[in-house]
Each structure stands twice: as structure tokens, then as C-alpha cells.
Amino acid sequence: MDRFLFLTFDGLATGAVYAAFALALVLIWRAARLVNFAQGAMAVATAYVGYAVVSVTGSYWLGLGAAVLAGLALGALVERVLMRFVGHANPLNDVIVALGLVLLIQAVLGMVFGNEYRPAAAPFDTDALSVGGVAAMSPYDLWVLGAVLAVVVSLGLLFTRTPIGLRMRASAFAPEVSRLLGVNVGRMLTVGWALAAAVGALAGMLVVPTGLGLHPHAMDLVFVVAFTAAVVGGLDSPAGAVVGGLLVGLILSYVTGYLGPDTTPLAILVLLLAVLLVRPGGLFSSVRARHV
Amino acid sequence: MTATEVSPDPRPTRPSPLRRLLPGPPGAAGARGSTLLRHLVLAVLAGTAVVLLTNQLAPYQNLQVARVCAFLCVTAGYTVLVGLNGQLSLGHGALMATGAYTVALMQQGFDERAVQGRWILPLSLLLAVVVTAAAGLVIGLAAARLRGPYLAGVTLAVATLVPAITTIFTDVFNGEQGLRFPMETPPAFLGAYFQPERWLAWVALLAALLTMLLMANLVRSRFGRSLRAVRDDEVAARLAGIHVARNQVLAFVVSAACAGLGGGVYAVLTATVAPGKFSLDLSLFLLMAIVIGGLGSLAGAVWGAILLVALQDLPSLITETFTLPSGLAQRLEGNLALAVFGLILIVVMLAAPGGLHGAARALTARLRARRRAARR
């Protein structure tokens, strides 16, 4: 029972990171109808910026801020310089360009910083506190959960309570009508990409201390898991992304704990295939995602 | 490789008056048998040219020819899937790994039982094709229900996660170290001093020619037309009586079989397999190769395979030519090729979505039009 509780808490903490990452994917899917396959590489790039600032200033919080700002800038840049000019006649074009970006970013990071794993310090203790004799969450896990919760709540407020959120939703759902009504749809797209990349950057900063460290390929697996989480929740639903992230985190935690860490990749694959084959629109979607 | 062009020559050959009375299939030069014959002749000519070429080359260059041929097996099938059928798979690196591991296990098994014979290699390669086609069937059955980014995501997961299987079943696949098996040697009748690399290039060439011949005929066949119909408009294809899902699964199986053959040949070239060789990057390289070559044309697959090998050898060429500080050289090693690949992928996609082959065709068409205008 203790073990089950520990695995549950651990799963929730890692699931929160997947949730944030999946949220970033959902943001871009809603704004531009494309899955950003470069999300992981972009998050790694901003994490390198963050940890460069940490090593210069010695302050984790400055580094976190720098990473998020770098995410905003990188997201806007990628949309303005690259994605805007991709022909949308073929839906594969977006994916191919994003994959080209993955290769480019990872190679540039490898050339500048080297391909070895760099240790990344966590701002809080990562040893689990015990509550009543049961090993529960570590302070770092609590910080991760709190940060992701704050992002989810503020994004929710942004989309439902502010004029810019309304314009973003409008241009995502009906671009032509929004344009007629005076919304600068192109700018909303840039803002969407910037926001998504910033959320991705935060998720990257949160996940790096729990893994092996900073590495150009550090997010490859995280991206796949986050994609699974987004698919579980439904690519259209931000709430679904969060629930999907937590759910996937829990499942992977149980699989790792009871069957061993080697089986996790297979578990992800099975989960992804099962969800796509049984309910391709995701658990929270009422829209059918395909018609054949 | 002009025979593999999808669109016929813009200037139709003038039929004889008698021939004009008979109804002929539009666009086709004649009966299907003549297409096969044309492809056969081309394949024999190309094969002879490469065999003569291997005579002149140094061992390492012959190995490069062999690598191009191994990749050509993969890119030919891959371009049929992505270009002709419109299904984007990122898992072809993993399918190559399936073929490579099958060959390695077979060769190792025969060696341990001290079985010898010239039939062992063809048998191993055949089994690699069969096993990979089966794997392709499984993925293809799932893929036929998925579209666009979903399919890309699932196959990306396959590419990322499949190498981990080698560490789960360590006693079979020997984990990160991978498997070694005895090097393939030239047959005795070629003489004792026959260059082994040249023999490997011949083996790979045979596989590549076979693949290209089959794919070229497949592209021109009824099945090839249904592949394109499904890509262009699924609903219309279904109305025309094409079983869309079956068509897509079949395309996946065919391209998987090609990837398995290519992976098997690739393993034979180095006599080793290891999970590190079949990482996600390999799948992205393959994608780059067919995008640069030109999606949907087999000639593009040839260009792609050549570029893939040329660009992979670029970093070592640079570090050999210029004397760089060792730290910098180490960082450039591998990463430089990745950066160039990524950049090319983006630029080609933005500037010339038709790829090299498309650009070359547009250029020749323009030159031809200009020459015709000058003649008038």
C-alpha cells in the first residue's frame, strides 16, 4: 500500500510536467491545426538558455524567467520566420518542416554546448518527505504541481476573461469571420505559438532536473509521452491535456514501479495505439477526428 | 532512371494511322509487358554501369556505393508510401532495424551451428523482408485508421521506442552492444584476391535493382494508380471502387518490406547491428532523403539515397581537410551533418516542395520550351 501511494504521488508529479507539455501541443493545435513536432527540441533550446543564465547568475528563478522569455521569443520567431511560409496544401508539409527544425535545433545545441549530459540542479529538495511514515511527495514535486496548476489557471483566465483571449479563440475557430470582424488573425497565430512555446519552456525547465540532465535529445521521449497525453485527452481540449497528462503520468509510474523501468517505452506505445484505435478523438472530444 | 517518371512525356509519339484507329490506354506507351521490358532493360543497363564502376573504385568508395544501394532499397519503398500514398511514417528507421536484426540473428545462428553455403545470405535477406513486412502489416493496420499528424505521432513513437526493445530482451539482442556476425566473403570462383568491398557492393546493388524494378512496375500498375487516387482524394477513390483501408495497409506492407531488405543489406555491409544505429535520427534522415529527392518519384529516391551517403560522409571530410581543434572537431562530428540535413529539409520544403527531381524536371521543361521557341 505504501508503495502504491508513493507511485501515485510520483506519477502525479511527473504527470504534471507531461500535462504542461501536452497543453503546449494543444495550444498550437487549436490555433493553427498542426501538431508541433518541434516542441521538444524548442523546449530543450530554451532550457539551455535557462541553465546558462542559472550558471551565470546563480539564481534558479532568473534562469526560469529567462527560459520562459526565450520560449516566448522562440515561438514567435518560429511562427513568423518559418511556419507562416509553409504551404498548407499538404498537411504533411508542416510536420516535415517541424522535423527539419528538430534536426537543426538539436545539431546547433550539440555544436555549441556539446553532446554530453550536463547536470541540472533542482531549486528544491528532491527527496520525498514522509507523511505519517509514508514516503509522499518531495518539495520539488510540490513546486512542479504548483507551477503547472498556476499555468493552467492563468491560461484559463486568459482565454475566458480577457479580450485577447477571446480574439485568439475566435481566430482559431473561424479565421475568415474573425478577419472580417477586424481581428488580426496572423498576429493571434504568433501569440499562440509564443504562448505555447513559453509553456513548453516551463515544462522543459521542470522536467530537466528529474532526468539525467540537460542534453540535446533530453526531450525526445518527453515529447512522445506528451503527445500520448495530448491524444489521450483529445488534441482539442486543454482540460483534456491536463487530465491526460496526469493519467499518463500515473500509468507510467505504476508500470515502472511494478514491471520495471525497461517496459515503460512499450507501455507508452501500447497506450498510444490503444487510445488512437479505440477513441481517436481522445477521451474528452465529441468531434470525430477522422471519417474513414 | 527516366522510366520511373510518373507523368508521361509531354510530346506524345505520333502513332501510325492504323494504330490511331485502335483504342489505346491513355498515357500508357503500350501494353504493360513493354513497360516491364523497358524497366528490365534500364535495370540491366544501370546494373552493368555500376558493376563496371565498382571495378575502378577503391575499397572505401565501393562501400559507399554499397551504402547508397542499401539506402535506395529503403527510400524507394518509402517514397511509394509517403509520396504516392500520402501516409507519413517516421518509423522506417525502426523497420530497417527489424530487417537488420533479423539478418544478424539468422547469420549468427547459422554460424554457431557451423552451417555454410552461398544460400544463407539470400535466405536471411528473404526472411528479413518477410519479418519486416509482417511488422509493417501490424503498423499499417493501425495506420490505415489514422490521418496526418496522428499517424506521424504514432510512427514517431515507434521510431523512438523500438530501440528500447533491445534492452528489454537483452539475452536475444545483446542490449546496447548489439550483435556481431561473420563478414560476408566473396565466392571462391571470383579469385582469392577479389576485393570484399566490391562483392558487398554487388550484393547491395542486386537488392537495390530488384527493389527499383519492382517499385517502378508497381508505380505504373493499377495498384500504383489507386495509391495516388487515395492520396489525392479518399472519398473520390472510395467512390471509384477502391478499398481505401486495404490499399493503405498494402502500401505500408510493401514499403516495410523494402525497408526490411534495405536494413538487412545495411547490416551485412558492416557485419554488426546495434540499437544506436537505428535511432530517431535515422528515420528523419530517410524522410529528408525522399523530400530532397522529390516526393513521389522513384528517381527522387535515387537522388535521396546518394545525398544521404554523401552528406553522412561530409563531416569527416571537413575534419580531415581542415585541421580543427579536437574539441571543436568532436562537436562537429555528426552534428554538422544533422544541421545540414535539417536546414536542407526546411529550405527544400519552403522553396521547392517538388525536391531535386521536381526542380530538375521544371528546368529541363523550361529549356526544352526555349529551344522549341528558338527553332520557330
Side-chain angles (χ1 to χ4, degrees):
Chain A
M1 192 62 203
D2 287 2
R3 187 167 171 72
F4 179 77
L5 278 179
F6 172 74
L7 289 177
T8 306
F9 286 129
D10 196 50
L12 284 179
T14 47
V17 178
Y18 299 143
F21 223 88
L23 199 60
L25 282 177
V26 167
L27 281 178
I28 290 183
W29 174 261
R30 277 163 67 103
R33 292 284 134 185
L34 63 93
V35 174
N36 179 17
F37 279 86
Q39 185 95 67
M42 286 164 69
V44 174
T46 52
Y48 268 102
V49 172
Y51 276 97
V53 172
V54 171
S55 67
V56 170
T57 61
S59 158
Y60 177 82
W61 304 107
L62 276 180
L64 185 70
V68 171
L69 283 181
L72 280 173
L74 184 62
L77 189 77
V78 166
E79 199 279 323
R80 275 282 150 126
V81 178
L82 216 56
M83 289 304 175
R84 182 159 292 203
F85 302 104
V86 179
H88 295 286
N90 186 344
L92 302 185
N93 294 1
D94 298 314
V95 180
I96 294 174
V97 170
L99 292 170
L101 193 60
V102 170
L103 284 175
L104 187 61
I105 289 179
Q106 286 177 344
V108 170
L109 287 176
M111 280 192 267
V112 176
F113 295 101
N115 268 349
E116 61 275 2
Y117 282 93
R118 302 178 149 227
F124 299 106
D125 197 1
T126 48
D127 289 332
L129 300 172
S130 59
V131 182
V134 178
M137 292 193 155
S138 70
Y140 185 72
D141 291 343
L142 287 174
W143 146 242
V144 168
L145 274 177
V148 173
L149 191 70
V151 168
V152 171
V153 169
S154 42
L155 277 181
L157 288 177
L158 176 79
F159 279 115
T160 53
R161 295 276 187 273
T162 62
I164 190 165
L166 181 66
R167 284 205 289 272
M168 284 177 72
R169 280 192 294 156
S171 42
F173 280 109
E176 287 311 313
V177 178
S178 313
R179 200 169 277 132
L180 288 175
L181 292 173
V183 176
N184 189 338
V185 174
R187 186 177 298 160
M188 289 306 123
L189 204 55
T190 312
V191 173
W193 269 87
L195 271 181
V199 173
L202 176 79
M205 285 299 279
L206 293 178
V207 79
V208 163
T210 62
L212 291 168
L214 208 48
H215 183 263
H217 288 272
M219 300 286 173
D220 284 3
L221 199 59
V222 178
F223 175 82
V224 171
V225 179
F227 177 78
T228 310
V231 168
V232 167
L235 275 175
D236 250 323
S237 152
V242 174
V243 177
L246 293 177
L247 206 62
V248 170
L250 282 176
I251 292 173
L252 292 188
S253 176
Y254 295 141
V255 169
T256 311
Y258 290 119
L259 299 177
D262 283 349
T263 46
T264 347
L266 275 186
I268 299 169
L269 202 57
V270 170
L271 184 67
L272 182 57
L273 276 177
V275 172
L276 277 173
L277 293 181
V278 176
R279 204 176 156 77
L283 301 178
F284 291 81
S285 166
S286 53
V287 190
R288 277 170 64 85
R290 65 208 156 92
H291 52 85
V292 173
Chain B
M1 291 285 162
T2 47
T4 56
E5 281 190 8
V6 174
S7 73
D9 193 285
R11 293 169 305 167
T13 47
R14 188 170 298 159
S16 71
L18 204 147
R19 174 91 195 157
R20 221 180 298 166
L21 294 173
L22 300 167
R32 270 193 60 199
S34 77
T35 317
L36 177 66
L37 194 67
R38 199 149 48 89
H39 290 163
L40 256 176
V41 169
L42 268 169
V44 169
L45 284 179
T48 317
V50 178
V51 164
L52 289 177
L53 180 72
T54 54
N55 211 358
Q56 311 297 323
L57 294 179
Y60 183 69
Q61 289 165 324
N62 266 332
L63 216 49
Q64 280 180 317
V65 171
R67 274 162 64 208
V68 169
C69 290
F71 277 123
L72 182 54
C73 297
V74 188
T75 51
Y78 194 26
T79 204
V80 165
L81 181 74
V82 183
L84 257 60
N85 201 216
Q87 299 193 75
L88 180 57
S89 158
L90 304 175
H92 268 56
L95 289 173
M96 271 183 86
T98 311
Y101 268 97
T102 310
V103 165
L105 286 172
M106 288 289 287
Q107 298 285 80
Q108 217 179 28
F110 282 126
D111 186 53
E112 277 163 11
R113 284 162 190 76
V115 184
Q116 279 173 344
R118 303 264 29 129
W119 49 272
I120 288 178
L121 184 66
L123 183 69
S124 302
L125 287 175
L126 187 69
L127 204 74
V129 170
V130 172
V131 170
T132 318
L137 180 68
V138 175
I139 306 175
L141 281 174
R145 304 191 57 192
L146 303 172
R147 294 291 170 271
Y150 287 103
L151 177 56
V154 170
T155 48
L156 179 77
V158 169
T160 320
L161 304 173
V162 158
I165 291 178
T166 54
T167 46
I168 301 178
F169 305 102
T170 312
D171 41 344
V172 184
F173 300 116
N174 198 22
E176 293 290 327
Q177 278 80 45
L179 302 171
R180 287 184 158 278
F181 53 92
M183 197 81 178
E184 191 62 25
T185 48
F189 64 81
L190 287 170
Y193 299 104
F194 195 80
Q195 202 190 88
E197 286 83 3
R198 205 173 150 209
W199 172 246
L200 289 178
W202 286 8
V203 169
L205 177 69
L206 193 63
L209 283 179
L210 196 65
T211 313
M212 282 300 278
L213 191 63
L214 289 175
M215 289 303 117
N217 279 293
L218 183 138
V219 165
R220 298 294 291 256
S221 71
R222 181 193 169 85
F223 177 54
R225 282 195 297 280
S226 2
L227 286 180
R228 285 191 286 276
V230 168
R231 172 196 64 188
D232 292 336
D233 193 335
E234 270 182 30
V235 178
R238 206 149 33 125
L239 287 173
I242 296 170
H243 195 304
V244 170
R246 194 185 297 156
N247 182 285
Q248 286 177 318
V249 173
L250 210 55
F252 218 106
V253 171
V254 166
S255 82
C258 294
L261 181 63
V265 172
Y266 193 63
V268 169
L269 298 187
T270 49
T272 52
V273 284
K277 281 189 192 171
F278 303 99
S279 62
L280 175 63
D281 286 342
L282 177 67
S283 297
L284 298 188
F285 287 175
L286 291 173
L287 177 68
M288 183 222 61
I290 59 166
V291 166
I292 292 178
L295 279 178
S297 77
L298 284 177
V302 180
W303 286 112
I306 294 173
L307 261 171
L308 201 55
V309 173
L311 283 177
Q312 274 183 345
D313 289 342
L314 174 77
S316 55
L317 193 71
I318 287 181
T319 43
E320 275 168 25
T321 319
F322 306 99
T323 41
L324 297 167
S326 68
L328 183 64
Q330 206 176 3
R331 282 178 183 179
L332 285 183
E333 187 86 48
N335 280 324
L336 190 65
L338 280 175
V340 173
F341 281 177
L343 204 60
I344 291 179
L345 199 55
I346 294 170
V347 170
V348 168
M349 224 45 221
L350 293 185
L356 270 186
H357 184 64
R361 214 154 63 180
L363 195 70
T364 49
R366 201 183 298 165
L367 285 177
R368 201 177 289 161
R370 191 178 293 170
R371 210 184 309 147
R372 219 176 300 155
R375 215 179 291 155
R376 271 181 204 143

PDB file of all heavy atoms in Angstrom, chain A residues 1-9 133-135 254 258:
ATOM      1  N   MET A   1       0.835  -1.210   0.000  1.00  0.00           N
ATOM      2  CA  MET A   1       0.000   0.000   0.000  1.00  0.00           C
ATOM      3  C   MET A   1       0.866   1.256   0.000  1.00  0.00           C
ATOM      4  O   MET A   1       0.621   2.198  -0.757  1.00  0.00           O
ATOM      5  CB  MET A   1      -0.916  -0.021   1.225  1.00  0.00           C
ATOM      6  CG  MET A   1      -2.030   1.021   1.179  1.00  0.00           C
ATOM      7  SD  MET A   1      -3.113   0.695  -0.234  1.00  0.00           S
ATOM      8  CE  MET A   1      -3.829   2.313  -0.474  1.00  0.00           C
ATOM      9  N   ASP A   2       1.922   1.220   0.842  1.00  0.00           N
ATOM     10  CA  ASP A   2       2.831   2.360   0.867  1.00  0.00           C
ATOM     11  C   ASP A   2       3.420   2.594  -0.503  1.00  0.00           C
ATOM     12  O   ASP A   2       3.516   3.712  -0.984  1.00  0.00           O
ATOM     13  CB  ASP A   2       3.984   2.109   1.867  1.00  0.00           C
ATOM     14  CG  ASP A   2       3.498   2.213   3.293  1.00  0.00           C
ATOM     15  OD1 ASP A   2       2.286   2.435   3.454  1.00  0.00           O
ATOM     16  OD2 ASP A   2       4.316   2.066   4.215  1.00  0.00           O
ATOM     17  N   ARG A   3       3.809   1.467  -1.129  1.00  0.00           N
ATOM     18  CA  ARG A   3       4.417   1.546  -2.440  1.00  0.00           C
ATOM     19  C   ARG A   3       3.426   2.136  -3.447  1.00  0.00           C
ATOM     20  O   ARG A   3       3.785   2.987  -4.266  1.00  0.00           O
ATOM     21  CB  ARG A   3       4.850   0.135  -2.867  1.00  0.00           C
ATOM     22  CG  ARG A   3       5.631   0.114  -4.138  1.00  0.00           C
ATOM     23  CD  ARG A   3       6.277  -1.243  -4.328  1.00  0.00           C
ATOM     24  NE  ARG A   3       6.861  -1.353  -5.638  1.00  0.00           N
ATOM     25  CZ  ARG A   3       7.955  -0.718  -6.019  1.00  0.00           C
ATOM     26  NH1 ARG A   3       8.575   0.082  -5.189  1.00  0.00           N
ATOM     27  NH2 ARG A   3       8.426  -0.863  -7.236  1.00  0.00           N
ATOM     28  N   PHE A   4       2.175   1.699  -3.359  1.00  0.00           N
ATOM     29  CA  PHE A   4       1.157   2.208  -4.262  1.00  0.00           C
ATOM     30  C   PHE A   4       0.997   3.716  -4.098  1.00  0.00           C
ATOM     31  O   PHE A   4       0.942   4.468  -5.072  1.00  0.00           O
ATOM     32  CB  PHE A   4      -0.177   1.497  -3.989  1.00  0.00           C
ATOM     33  CG  PHE A   4      -1.294   1.986  -4.865  1.00  0.00           C
ATOM     34  CD1 PHE A   4      -1.378   1.587  -6.186  1.00  0.00           C
ATOM     35  CD2 PHE A   4      -2.253   2.856  -4.369  1.00  0.00           C
ATOM     36  CE1 PHE A   4      -2.397   2.053  -7.006  1.00  0.00           C
ATOM     37  CE2 PHE A   4      -3.268   3.324  -5.178  1.00  0.00           C
ATOM     38  CZ  PHE A   4      -3.345   2.917  -6.488  1.00  0.00           C
ATOM     39  N   LEU A   5       0.940   4.161  -2.823  1.00  0.00           N
ATOM     40  CA  LEU A   5       0.793   5.601  -2.571  1.00  0.00           C
ATOM     41  C   LEU A   5       1.974   6.371  -3.132  1.00  0.00           C
ATOM     42  O   LEU A   5       1.823   7.397  -3.796  1.00  0.00           O
ATOM     43  CB  LEU A   5       0.669   5.849  -1.067  1.00  0.00           C
ATOM     44  CG  LEU A   5      -0.726   5.656  -0.481  1.00  0.00           C
ATOM     45  CD1 LEU A   5      -0.697   5.912   1.015  1.00  0.00           C
ATOM     46  CD2 LEU A   5      -1.713   6.588  -1.157  1.00  0.00           C
ATOM     47  N   PHE A   6       3.186   5.822  -2.895  1.00  0.00           N
ATOM     48  CA  PHE A   6       4.382   6.501  -3.381  1.00  0.00           C
ATOM     49  C   PHE A   6       4.356   6.625  -4.898  1.00  0.00           C
ATOM     50  O   PHE A   6       4.611   7.693  -5.457  1.00  0.00           O
ATOM     51  CB  PHE A   6       5.636   5.726  -2.935  1.00  0.00           C
ATOM     52  CG  PHE A   6       6.898   6.248  -3.552  1.00  0.00           C
ATOM     53  CD1 PHE A   6       7.440   7.443  -3.105  1.00  0.00           C
ATOM     54  CD2 PHE A   6       7.512   5.568  -4.579  1.00  0.00           C
ATOM     55  CE1 PHE A   6       8.591   7.944  -3.681  1.00  0.00           C
ATOM     56  CE2 PHE A   6       8.650   6.066  -5.168  1.00  0.00           C
ATOM     57  CZ  PHE A   6       9.200   7.255  -4.717  1.00  0.00           C
ATOM     58  N   LEU A   7       3.988   5.515  -5.553  1.00  0.00           N
ATOM     59  CA  LEU A   7       3.943   5.532  -7.020  1.00  0.00           C
ATOM     60  C   LEU A   7       2.886   6.519  -7.511  1.00  0.00           C
ATOM     61  O   LEU A   7       3.060   7.184  -8.530  1.00  0.00           O
ATOM     62  CB  LEU A   7       3.660   4.134  -7.559  1.00  0.00           C
ATOM     63  CG  LEU A   7       4.803   3.132  -7.419  1.00  0.00           C
ATOM     64  CD1 LEU A   7       4.361   1.764  -7.919  1.00  0.00           C
ATOM     65  CD2 LEU A   7       6.021   3.596  -8.178  1.00  0.00           C
ATOM     66  N   THR A   8       1.768   6.601  -6.771  1.00  0.00           N
ATOM     67  CA  THR A   8       0.710   7.527  -7.162  1.00  0.00           C
ATOM     68  C   THR A   8       1.213   8.970  -7.109  1.00  0.00           C
ATOM     69  O   THR A   8       1.046   9.740  -8.056  1.00  0.00           O
ATOM     70  CB  THR A   8      -0.504   7.364  -6.239  1.00  0.00           C
ATOM     71  OG1 THR A   8      -0.888   5.997  -6.244  1.00  0.00           O
ATOM     72  CG2 THR A   8      -1.654   8.221  -6.705  1.00  0.00           C
ATOM     73  N   PHE A   9       1.858   9.323  -5.997  1.00  0.00           N
ATOM     74  CA  PHE A   9       2.352  10.695  -5.859  1.00  0.00           C
ATOM     75  C   PHE A   9       3.407  10.983  -6.925  1.00  0.00           C
ATOM     76  O   PHE A   9       3.414  12.046  -7.552  1.00  0.00           O
ATOM     77  CB  PHE A   9       2.942  10.909  -4.460  1.00  0.00           C
ATOM     78  CG  PHE A   9       1.891  11.019  -3.402  1.00  0.00           C
ATOM     79  CD1 PHE A   9       1.943  10.251  -2.256  1.00  0.00           C
ATOM     80  CD2 PHE A   9       0.833  11.908  -3.555  1.00  0.00           C
ATOM     81  CE1 PHE A   9       0.972  10.352  -1.279  1.00  0.00           C
ATOM     82  CE2 PHE A   9      -0.145  12.020  -2.582  1.00  0.00           C
ATOM     83  CZ  PHE A   9      -0.083  11.238  -1.447  1.00  0.00           C
ATOM     84  N   GLY A 133       4.864   8.304   8.126  1.00  0.00           N
ATOM     85  CA  GLY A 133       5.605   7.088   7.821  1.00  0.00           C
ATOM     86  C   GLY A 133       5.533   6.683   6.368  1.00  0.00           C
ATOM     87  O   GLY A 133       6.183   5.729   5.958  1.00  0.00           O
ATOM     88  N   VAL A 134       4.734   7.376   5.524  1.00  0.00           N
ATOM     89  CA  VAL A 134       4.631   7.030   4.113  1.00  0.00           C
ATOM     90  C   VAL A 134       5.413   8.058   3.305  1.00  0.00           C
ATOM     91  O   VAL A 134       5.242   9.261   3.493  1.00  0.00           O
ATOM     92  CB  VAL A 134       3.151   7.030   3.667  1.00  0.00           C
ATOM     93  CG1 VAL A 134       3.062   6.728   2.178  1.00  0.00           C
ATOM     94  CG2 VAL A 134       2.356   6.025   4.469  1.00  0.00           C
ATOM     95  N   ALA A 135       6.275   7.570   2.429  1.00  0.00           N
ATOM     96  CA  ALA A 135       7.026   8.476   1.573  1.00  0.00           C
ATOM     97  C   ALA A 135       6.065   9.099   0.574  1.00  0.00           C
ATOM     98  O   ALA A 135       5.485   8.397  -0.238  1.00  0.00           O
ATOM     99  CB  ALA A 135       8.143   7.728   0.857  1.00  0.00           C
ATOM    100  N   TYR A 254       3.025   3.483 -12.417  1.00  0.00           N
ATOM    101  CA  TYR A 254       2.677   2.124 -11.971  1.00  0.00           C
ATOM    102  C   TYR A 254       3.455   1.088 -12.779  1.00  0.00           C
ATOM    103  O   TYR A 254       3.971   0.113 -12.230  1.00  0.00           O
ATOM    104  CB  TYR A 254       1.172   1.866 -12.102  1.00  0.00           C
ATOM    105  CG  TYR A 254       0.322   2.739 -11.205  1.00  0.00           C
ATOM    106  CD1 TYR A 254      -0.882   3.264 -11.645  1.00  0.00           C
ATOM    107  CD2 TYR A 254       0.746   3.045  -9.915  1.00  0.00           C
ATOM    108  CE1 TYR A 254      -1.649   4.075 -10.836  1.00  0.00           C
ATOM    109  CE2 TYR A 254      -0.016   3.860  -9.096  1.00  0.00           C
ATOM    110  CZ  TYR A 254      -1.208   4.371  -9.565  1.00  0.00           C
ATOM    111  OH  TYR A 254      -1.950   5.171  -8.755  1.00  0.00           O
ATOM    112  N   TYR A 258       5.927  -1.426 -10.915  1.00  0.00           N
ATOM    113  CA  TYR A 258       5.559  -2.836 -10.733  1.00  0.00           C
ATOM    114  C   TYR A 258       6.203  -3.754 -11.769  1.00  0.00           C
ATOM    115  O   TYR A 258       6.419  -4.924 -11.506  1.00  0.00           O
ATOM    116  CB  TYR A 258       4.037  -2.993 -10.780  1.00  0.00           C
ATOM    117  CG  TYR A 258       3.367  -2.404  -9.564  1.00  0.00           C
ATOM    118  CD1 TYR A 258       2.450  -1.365  -9.683  1.00  0.00           C
ATOM    119  CD2 TYR A 258       3.671  -2.866  -8.279  1.00  0.00           C
ATOM    120  CE1 TYR A 258       1.850  -0.809  -8.563  1.00  0.00           C
ATOM    121  CE2 TYR A 258       3.076  -2.310  -7.168  1.00  0.00           C
ATOM    122  CZ  TYR A 258       2.172  -1.292  -7.305  1.00  0.00           C
ATOM    123  OH  TYR A 258       1.600  -0.751  -6.204  1.00  0.00           O
TER     124      TYR A 258
END
